[in-house]
Amino acid sequence: MPVVTIDSRQVDVEPGTTILKAALKLGIDIPVFCYHDGLPVAANCRMCLVEVKGSPKPLPACEVQVRDGMEVLTRSQVALDARKAVLELILLNHPVDCPICDQAGECVLQDHYFEHSATPSRIQVSKVHKAKAVPLGPNVMLDRERCINCTRCVRFCREVSGSRQLTQVHRGNHTEIAVFPGRQFDDPYSLCAVDLCPVGALTSRDFRFRQRAWSLESSPAICPECSRGCNVLADAANGRLFRIRPRNNPDVNRWWACDHGRLAFRRFEERRADRSLVDYKPQPPTRQATLEAADVAAGRLQAIRSNGGRILLVLSSMLSLEEGFAALRFASSILGEKLVLLAPRGGGTADSLLRTADSNANRSGLTRLAAALGLETADLAGFFASPSAAEVAGLVSAGAEYEVPPLPAGARISEAVAFSHCLDAVADKATVLLPIPGHFEKDGHYANCDGRVQRSASAIAAPEAAVQLHVLLSRIASKMSGTLGYGDMTSVRSAALSLSGTGEGSNA
Amino acid sequence: MLELVLIAFAKCVFLFLAFLLGGAAILSWVERKMSAVIQDRIGPNRAAVFGFTAFGLFHPIADGIKMLFKEDFVPARADKILFFFAPVLSFVPPLLAFMAIPFGPPVAGREWLMVSDSQMGLLFLLAVASIGVYGHTLAGWSSDNKFSLMGALRTSSQLFSYEVGLTLSLLGVFMVYGTIMPQAIIGGQSELMWGWLPRWGIVTQPLGFILFMLASIAETKRAPFDLPEADSELVAGYSTEYSSMRFAMFFLSEFVGILLVSAFGAVLFLGGWNIPFLAGDAWWVVLLQVGAFLAKVGALVYLQMLVRWTVPRMRFDQVIDFGWKYLIPFGLLNLLATAVVLAVWR
Amino acid sequence: MVAKVKKVGLPPLNVAESLYVTELVRGLITTNRHFWRNWFRRKDTATLEYPDKRRPYSARWRGLHRLMLRENGTPRCVACMMCSTHCPAGCITIVAREHPDPAIEKVPASFEIDLLKCIFCGFCEEACPCDAIRVDSGVHAPPVYGRDEAIIDLEDLLSRGSQSTAKQGGRNL
């Protein structure tokens, strides 16, 4: 095991460890541009130069592996001068148009400049001008002047996504990032290149100019677009979501997330159910109106029950474990059913990196939960096609976004109560619609395709009329002279998590 | 006969239009301007005719026009007849009282500068002027407004109280000059005492003059005796419900009242139109004498205004206290002293 | 804590004062003095006849904001939101949009200032990297009938703007 001395502190590391990693073990931060944990080492930015005793020149810490007895100085005059010189070189032709640059505020170049250089430019001749605002692909915009040629994006396409769509052309001052002639950068993971870009050269066309980076607040969430359950950061400002960025989870998605999942959050704003509907008539957009609509629903369900009619629960696979638990308890103890209809969302496409064919956020978790509660599950479409569907007199639909199959022949369904965050096909059929918080508006746990239970925090506030599902169900249950046997969210959560086989916060 | 009537009519019209209406209007400007100047303000100066503001002298005209075009509001439960009648009743008596005021000496043996030199003399003036209180009282009573009623009650009690003091202060003058005829009193004041001192009422009756001034301020209902229309307590007293020209009549009657007591005081205490050491029938002498009378009236008006913008309002019980417990006893004392001095003198 | 109450009695009156007459005469002399002094020269009068005469403004008076213009008359503002970020009152709302010229790249689609929130501190002017917003027009905030009318928009801000020749983006652009 080699022992190295970094800034007169000794550390014991594996053979083959780079100076950068060894320094990190000591808590010493070495500035970098081109280095990224998820990408092969290129060592072309030279920002990480450190002084190594015995070496005639400073060496790049990201690439050089430690030797036993190596003595490294990261803050010597040589290292500081080297960094300053590198920054001056990088900034020679940089336009310094931070006011209009979306990266400003989360720009590595800005941070390093203030920390390691902070001197004005000495250049006396005109800067080299290059093309600005070049649309590279459907999601990515390139500003060639800002580019520092770290090649992170090129390496990402080559090594991670495998599309090999980006490359460098020309030489010296005129080096540029480019796509091949006649092609465009339509990699399904192209927005990861935007995340990787340490400066504002690659920007997201979706997020472009919508909000400044410093006004966003990030919340750790789970992407609901497929069963992978990618860890993401939901960036919000003024009560609105502005972008979704991947959050590093080495066991699930590493540093990446697909463009589809990152751009799909806008659908939560479209056709938002911001008020309850009773018999298709909108109620006032208040919490009180929603609770009163829930009382109406309770009365009607009770009427069906007292006539001996059968009421079934339709459970969307997009709901969290907490919501699923409340709904399943409602089905078993209030509706008195052994059967629950699972309604999955369709339209998933798998790819080689992250996306799975199952586009439901929580199918495995909810299935497991139903089994733990001793309930049978059936597919909604399959059940509607079966002859027993004709006996159903009422439906309670928890969650949304599933496809509504054609009603069974001879159906006598008089009442359909839907709990939904959006006005989709399910809501169109509902006699009573009760708004609930959408995915990024609630705190909940989801089990991904591997059965890993992960927590998603709320990023924005729900509309006033939206009430949490377990509150509504508990109210309806008490109106139907029954009880669900749980109190607040904490007890729902601990019950749901223990039933689904994990303790709270098991987000690996 | 017809000639006499026509002359009297002409005198009345001249008196009414030129002196009273014009004078009252100008007094409203004087009051506003003078209060402003005393209080280091600028005062009315905006109303302009062809760009000329003339120290704000167009303001009374503007006010008059405004008053004419205002809505004449009558409270629903007001006593309509009395409500309409009251302003007239308060406006006419002070005008009538001017009949006994001589503006100058007899010219060519006739009283051209006086409406009527009747035998009743100044008693007529006192009698007529005190009718005005009915106007104020009825106005307050007919308005169906508690503030108006309070104002009316205060008016009647205050005016009755000070009527006594006012009359007592005059008796001394009547005794000294031995007459109640205004021209005769002025004639008495035109004489000289010890060959150099004019025998004016203010010289022979100094205490009487002070009592007269106090009582007359109370009679015109002005600060510090402006309790009947104390704005901070009663909105506008008896005239609270009045608007338009009816209010203007109250407003004008107040200023006519000031002119009346000032003219009255000038006749009784300042020698009327008399200018000491100047006598004769020449036209310029008469003109000077008329000017002297107006100047004396102006001086008394100035004194009243000065008092009004100097002294704060008294409490109502203090007003009545002062009237009965100080003014009347001092008036009686003055009467007694005058009688004793006259008895000894003769 | 109990407030200390200081009781102040009436000052005792001497004989002359208790008669009131001397005080009355003194009062009359005072008002008389003011009358004649002000009648002949208006030295004590502090009144300013406002619409005709106006007090000179302080050199530090700012007035309403304005947005400066480029040489071709388009707004200098690049919607960087430095001003709205810096604004202590949070009165500036900017929505950015793409400019057809990639050399300019970003312009405000809307630029709204809520004058009811604005405290006219001038921080926006100091924060501006482009000499685009200035708080120096000297124009008073207009009276309005509703809160909505107190929000001034891009057009209004530009109408007060004039051309600025300040160089954008440093020395050797």
Side-chain angles (χ1 to χ4, degrees):
Chain A
M1 295 278 275
V3 175
V4 284
T5 313
I6 303 177
D7 291 347
S8 56
R9 283 161 69 195
Q10 289 201 332
V11 65
D12 204 353
V13 290
E14 297 284 328
T17 310
T18 60
I19 297 174
L20 189 78
K21 290 263 173 72
L24 208 60
K25 210 170 170 185
L26 284 170
I28 296 169
D29 220 6
I30 296 173
V32 294
F33 283 118
C34 71
Y35 177 80
H36 189 273
D37 285 337
L39 298 174
V41 174
N44 59 11
C45 73
R46 311 316 264 187
M47 189 63 202
C48 61
L49 287 177
V50 291
E51 186 182 0
V52 177
K53 284 278 172 68
S55 160
K57 292 199 286 186
L59 299 177
C62 66
E63 188 178 41
V64 175
Q65 297 175 358
V66 295
R67 276 180 287 109
D68 194 26
M70 193 186 237
E71 206 173 324
V72 179
L73 296 166
T74 68
R75 287 195 185 80
S76 70
Q77 197 56 48
V78 172
L80 294 178
D81 285 350
R83 274 176 214 155
K84 211 163 176 170
V86 165
L87 271 172
E88 190 166 15
L89 183 69
I90 286 174
L91 284 164
L92 270 188
N93 289 319
H94 192 85
V96 204
D97 54 352
C98 304
I100 51 172
C101 178
D102 266 350
Q103 190 82 2
E106 50 186 14
C107 176
V108 181
L109 184 54
Q110 276 184 339
D111 297 345
H112 287 353
Y113 173 76
F114 284 118
E115 197 174 340
H116 301 290
S117 169
T119 49
S121 170
R122 292 183 290 169
I123 190 169
Q124 295 294 319
V125 294
S126 280
K127 291 182 176 184
V128 175
H129 284 291
K130 296 177 188 169
K132 292 178 85 73
V134 183
L136 272 193
N139 296 330
V140 179
M141 189 77 93
L142 170 66
D143 186 309
R144 292 197 163 117
E145 285 188 333
R146 293 179 195 151
C147 178
I148 62 168
N149 291 299
C150 68
T151 68
R152 274 184 180 189
C153 50
V154 176
R155 280 175 282 149
F156 173 79
C157 289
R158 202 170 59 218
E159 307 285 341
V160 181
S161 76
S163 68
R164 297 173 175 267
Q165 284 174 332
L166 294 179
T167 188
Q168 273 186 307
V169 296
H170 301 311
R171 297 199 299 177
N173 266 348
H174 301 281
T175 312
E176 291 174 353
I177 298 294
V179 285
F180 292 96
R183 300 284 189 85
Q184 54 172 345
F185 185 38
D186 54 1
D187 189 313
Y189 289 83
S190 64
L191 286 174
C192 288
V194 174
D195 297 331
L196 286 171
C197 186
V199 293
L202 294 178
T203 48
S204 159
R205 292 180 75 176
D206 173 72
F207 176 66
R208 196 171 155 85
F209 299 164
R210 278 179 187 264
Q211 199 55 265
R212 298 313 305 250
W214 54 81
S215 55
L216 295 170
E217 267 187 60
S218 301
S219 313
I222 300 296
C223 175
E225 296 308 318
C226 76
S227 64
R228 176 70 61 190
C230 289
N231 291 210
V232 293
L233 287 172
D235 291 346
N238 306 325
R240 271 191 67 194
L241 273 187
F242 280 94
R243 76 180 166 182
I244 303 290
R245 287 182 296 157
R247 176 161 57 99
N248 178 17
N249 186 335
D251 299 316
V252 181
N253 58 321
R254 308 210 293 148
W255 299 270
W256 325 122
C258 66
D259 290 4
H260 168 78
R262 294 162 62 138
L263 299 179
F265 67 91
R266 289 255 156 67
R267 72 189 161 83
F268 289 102
E269 284 182 10
E270 291 158 11
R271 308 197 67 203
R272 182 75 176 82
D274 61 350
R275 59 190 68 202
S276 49
L277 301 172
V278 176
D279 295 331
Y280 316 107
K281 280 193 286 290
Q283 305 297 310
T286 60
R287 182 183 170 88
Q288 185 58 33
T290 303
L291 295 177
E292 281 163 14
D295 294 346
V296 172
R300 294 183 181 179
L301 293 177
Q302 181 66 37
I304 295 174
R305 296 269 297 131
S306 50
N307 289 338
R310 190 177 185 199
I311 304 171
L312 280 181
L313 172 72
V314 181
L315 188 63
S316 162
S317 304
M318 300 297 285
L319 289 181
S320 68
L321 288 174
E322 289 87 339
E323 289 170 317
F325 170 76
L328 291 169
R329 279 294 290 268
F330 185 78
S332 62
S333 55
I334 305 300
L335 302 179
E337 281 295 337
K338 278 278 161 211
L339 182 67
V340 171
L341 303 177
L342 273 188
R345 190 163 74 127
T349 330
D351 67 19
S352 56
L353 191 56
L354 293 173
R355 275 184 85 179
T356 62
D358 180 5
S359 66
N360 292 282
N362 204 12
R363 191 208 289 255
S364 69
L366 293 174
T367 314
R368 205 155 33 154
L369 201 58
L373 283 165
L375 291 166
E376 296 166 27
T377 53
D379 186 61
L380 175 66
F383 178 79
F384 271 18
S386 73
S388 58
E391 317 162 358
V392 178
L395 286 174
V396 173
S397 162
E401 298 189 289
Y402 57 85
E403 279 169 31
V404 183
L407 285 180
R412 294 176 291 110
I413 298 173
S414 61
E415 211 59 53
V417 178
F419 303 88
S420 172
H421 64 81
C422 70
L423 300 168
D424 61 359
V426 182
D428 289 346
K429 295 265 192 296
T431 51
V432 178
L433 177 78
L434 301 168
I436 57 173
H439 180 81
F440 291 103
E441 294 162 1
K442 68 193 175 195
D443 226 330
H445 287 75
Y446 299 84
N448 75 349
C449 55
D450 303 325
R452 174 184 297 274
V453 174
Q454 305 182 103
R455 174 169 178 249
S456 177
S458 73
I460 51 174
E464 196 206 329
V467 182
Q468 284 172 309
L469 182 62
H470 74 276
V471 175
L472 288 174
L473 287 174
S474 168
R475 187 179 176 97
I476 291 173
S478 65
K479 293 279 173 191
M480 295 172 74
S481 49
T483 173
L484 291 184
Y486 60 76
D488 56 355
M489 192 62 184
T490 317
S491 59
V492 175
R493 178 163 297 149
S494 58
L497 291 180
S498 64
L499 280 171
S500 56
T502 28
E504 188 170 355
S506 72
N507 184 10
Chain B
M1 187 62 202
L2 184 66
E3 186 199 352
L4 279 178
V5 171
L6 281 178
I7 288 171
F9 184 72
K11 284 194 281 195
C12 283
V13 168
F14 184 78
L15 183 75
F16 179 73
L17 286 181
F19 194 72
L20 295 176
L21 277 193
I26 287 172
L27 274 197
S28 76
W29 170 81
V30 169
E31 173 118 289
R32 292 173 64 188
K33 196 74 178 176
M34 194 168 154
S35 67
V37 173
I38 284 174
Q39 293 165 358
D40 298 350
R41 292 184 285 112
I42 290 176
N45 68 344
R46 311 310 295 182
V49 174
F50 303 120
F52 293 103
T53 56
F55 308 107
L57 266 170
F58 295 119
H59 275 265
I61 299 171
D63 287 345
I65 294 170
K66 186 190 80 168
M67 288 289 193
L68 274 174
F69 286 99
K70 282 275 177 182
E71 183 196 352
D72 185 10
F73 180 79
V74 181
R77 294 181 57 196
D79 187 325
K80 301 284 184 312
I81 295 167
L82 291 181
F83 191 80
F84 293 145
F85 187 53
V88 182
L89 199 55
S90 72
F91 186 52
V92 171
L95 287 180
L96 274 181
F98 263 99
M99 286 175 69
I101 299 293
F103 285 70
V107 180
R110 285 183 70 169
E111 295 290 355
W112 290 98
L113 297 167
M114 187 178 179
V115 176
S116 157
D117 190 17
S118 79
Q119 296 293 315
M120 290 179 285
L122 294 170
L123 278 187
F124 170 78
L125 193 151
L126 282 173
V128 169
S130 53
I131 293 174
V133 69
Y134 286 106
H136 300 311
T137 311
L138 288 178
W141 186 83
S142 64
S143 292
D144 187 38
N145 178 315
K146 60 182 170 187
F147 296 121
S148 300
L149 189 60
M150 294 277 282
L153 288 174
R154 285 184 178 189
T155 311
S156 50
S157 53
Q158 177 177 323
L159 260 53
F160 285 137
S161 307
Y162 281 82
E163 201 83 51
V164 183
L166 185 71
T167 316
L168 278 175
S169 71
L170 301 180
L171 287 180
V173 181
F174 296 156
M175 285 165 69
V176 170
Y177 302 107
T179 175
I180 55 169
M181 303 280 284
Q183 288 293 35
I185 290 176
I186 292 170
Q189 294 183 87
S190 304
E191 294 166 14
L192 296 175
M193 295 163 74
W194 306 299
W196 59 272
L197 186 63
R199 204 160 151 259
W200 285 7
I202 194 169
V203 178
T204 56
Q205 287 284 316
L207 183 60
F209 177 69
I210 291 169
L211 295 178
F212 171 78
M213 282 313 292
L214 289 170
S216 64
I217 289 172
E219 283 292 302
T220 51
K221 304 181 291 297
R222 291 171 61 79
F225 305 116
D226 59 344
L227 275 300
E229 43 193 324
D231 338 47
S232 53
E233 304 159 29
L234 299 180
V235 189
Y238 52 83
S239 60
T240 302
E241 293 288 2
Y242 280 87
S243 53
S244 185
M245 276 315 280
R246 294 185 199 286
F247 173 76
M249 285 170 93
F250 283 119
F251 193 68
L252 286 177
S253 78
E254 182 184 328
F255 286 112
V256 173
I258 295 168
L259 281 176
L260 177 66
V261 294
S262 300
F264 200 19
V267 167
L268 288 175
F269 294 99
L270 298 181
W273 40 261
N274 167 248
I275 304 174
F277 317 112
L278 187 68
D281 280 342
W283 62 270
W284 57 271
V285 175
V286 174
L287 212 59
L288 274 181
Q289 284 172 332
V290 172
F293 175 74
L294 295 180
K296 288 170 187 175
V297 172
L300 287 181
V301 168
Y302 175 79
L303 185 62
Q304 288 213 28
M305 297 263 177
L306 202 62
V307 169
R308 191 244 177 280
W309 292 107
T310 303
V311 190
R313 183 181 303 139
M314 292 165 80
R315 221 166 53 214
F316 192 63
D317 62 311
Q318 291 169 337
V319 173
I320 299 297
D321 247 24
F322 183 73
W324 288 104
K325 294 186 183 170
Y326 297 93
L327 205 59
I328 292 173
F330 273 106
L332 291 169
L333 207 65
N334 187 40
L335 199 61
L336 191 67
T338 308
V340 170
V341 169
L342 282 179
V344 172
W345 199 274
R346 300 242 168 96
Chain C
M1 193 181 121
V2 180
K4 280 184 184 166
V5 177
K6 189 182 175 189
K7 287 189 177 166
V8 184
L10 289 171
L13 301 177
N14 61 32
V15 179
E17 284 169 347
S18 66
L19 277 175
Y20 294 117
V21 179
T22 51
E23 296 303 295
L24 180 76
V25 172
R26 274 180 62 198
L28 288 174
I29 288 169
T30 302
T31 44
N32 195 47
R33 190 176 65 232
H34 274 263
F35 177 82
W36 291 111
R37 203 164 57 186
N38 289 330
W39 188 250
F40 289 112
R41 53 195 170 94
R42 228 183 237 179
K43 222 171 86 182
D44 297 337
T45 309
T47 314
L48 186 83
E49 293 180 64
Y50 169 64
D52 302 338
K53 298 173 195 160
R54 283 160 197 257
R55 243 177 255 286
Y57 283 100
S58 155
R60 307 191 313 184
W61 159 244
R62 294 192 178 98
L64 284 186
H65 322 68
R66 59 190 186 133
L67 283 179
M68 304 300 284
L69 305 169
R70 291 173 200 271
E71 275 149 25
N72 61 5
T74 54
R76 287 180 71 87
C77 178
V78 295
C80 69
M81 308 195 195
M82 293 292 158
C83 49
S84 61
T85 304
H86 240 71
C87 182
C91 68
I92 307 177
T93 312
I94 305 169
V95 176
R97 71 176 164 87
E98 198 96 23
H99 193 280
D101 177 6
I104 297 174
E105 207 170 342
K106 197 179 176 188
V107 283
S110 83
F111 194 115
E112 291 179 341
I113 297 179
D114 189 340
L115 294 180
L116 294 179
K117 289 185 188 167
C118 181
I119 57 169
F120 298 96
C121 62
F123 278 11
C124 47
E125 184 178 346
E126 285 193 42
C128 185
C130 305
D131 188 30
I133 191 169
R134 288 193 191 171
V135 195
D136 62 352
S137 71
V139 179
H140 284 270
V144 291
Y145 287 105
R147 280 160 194 263
D148 294 348
E149 293 171 46
I151 298 173
I152 53 176
D153 60 4
L154 186 62
E155 199 184 335
D156 185 58
L157 287 161
L158 287 172
S159 71
R160 280 187 295 276
S162 57
Q163 211 179 77
S164 165
T165 51
K167 274 275 176 238
Q168 266 180 283
R171 281 175 296 150
N172 294 302
L173 186 77

